[in-house]
Amino acid sequence: MKVTKVLGIYEEGKIILLEPAPTNKAKVVINFFSEEQKLKLMNEEIFWSIISLLNFSGQNSNELIRPCINRLSDFEPEDIYQFEEILAEKLFAIDGKQFANSMNLYFSVDSFLYKRCGAIAKGKNFYHELLKNPFLFSEVESFEPILYIAERAYRIRTGLELEPSTLSYETYSNQTAWTE
């Protein structure tokens, strides 16, 4: 028998799966953790799994990111914030001259940020290849809506505004990468 772990939370007498069960006839074993043992759910693997939910057949930006927002809003507020932190780290890592040099014709701080967002929207494999080969950046299209996933999920989950990430992802924030 193959065992596949599926994350979930137990609240108010109900178990809510945070990811789909592998089959409809899966046998389930539930482990309970105390608050002290509570695992931080958001990590890079889950970040990329949420990004993979982008609906590129959507007609507008809200439809494009809706599956990501819906999934992320199931997480605890601190995990939604961690998603935003991971996004900021990824954007910061590709904020530099070596990526900007592959932009054709027009450069602005906003267009460069939105193209970096597009690099993340292309997924984990593309992003890691881009880190090794910055010339791949020329294949990227802008995708500003990715910036609003955590903000909207947080508002759905808490009714509050999401605090900005600790690391700035604005263009020219990664000063080291611009001076190399």
Side-chain angles (χ1 to χ4, degrees), residues 5-146:
K5 291 184 179 181
V6 179
L7 294 175
I9 56 174
Y10 177 79
E11 289 182 338
E12 300 174 8
K14 296 179 184 174
I15 296 173
I16 302 166
L17 296 180
L18 298 176
E19 39 194 67
T23 68
N24 288 336
K25 296 182 179 184
K27 293 183 180 181
V28 178
V29 175
I30 300 170
N31 292 316
F32 291 93
F33 297 95
S34 69
E35 277 301 310
E36 297 81 40
Q37 296 171 306
K38 181 180 172 186
L39 301 174
K40 190 147 192 85
L41 295 177
M42 186 54 60
N43 58 38
E44 196 164 318
E45 182 180 327
I46 295 172
F47 169 85
W48 286 116
S49 74
I50 291 171
I51 294 298
S52 74
L53 298 174
L54 288 166
N55 174 18
F56 289 107
S57 64
Q59 299 299 310
N60 60 52
S61 62
N62 287 328
E63 289 178 14
L64 292 169
I65 62 175
R66 185 172 294 126
C68 300
I69 293 168
N70 290 343
R71 178 81 165 96
L72 187 57
S73 66
D74 289 336
F75 283 80
E76 293 296 322
E78 60 267 17
D79 292 315
I80 297 171
Y81 182 77
Q82 186 60 32
F83 178 94
E84 180 74 2
E85 286 287 315
I86 294 170
L87 176 63
E89 290 169 8
K90 302 287 177 219
L91 291 169
F92 183 85
I94 57 175
D95 175 30
K97 190 177 359 180
Q98 70 273 31
F99 300 100
N101 285 342
S102 67
M103 287 185 68
N104 298 326
L105 303 173
Y106 179 73
F107 180 87
S108 76
V109 292
D110 287 339
S111 64
F112 185 56
L113 170 60
Y114 302 153
K115 268 193 89 153
R116 288 184 286 135
C117 292
I120 292 169
K122 287 180 74 85
K124 178 181 178 179
N125 291 338
F126 180 84
Y127 180 82
H128 287 290
E129 284 301 313
L130 177 64
L131 290 174
K132 292 185 244 174
N133 183 1
F135 294 107
L136 290 173
F137 197 71
S138 63
E139 300 174 16
V140 176
E141 293 183 30
S142 293
F143 195 75
E144 178 185 3
I146 208 167

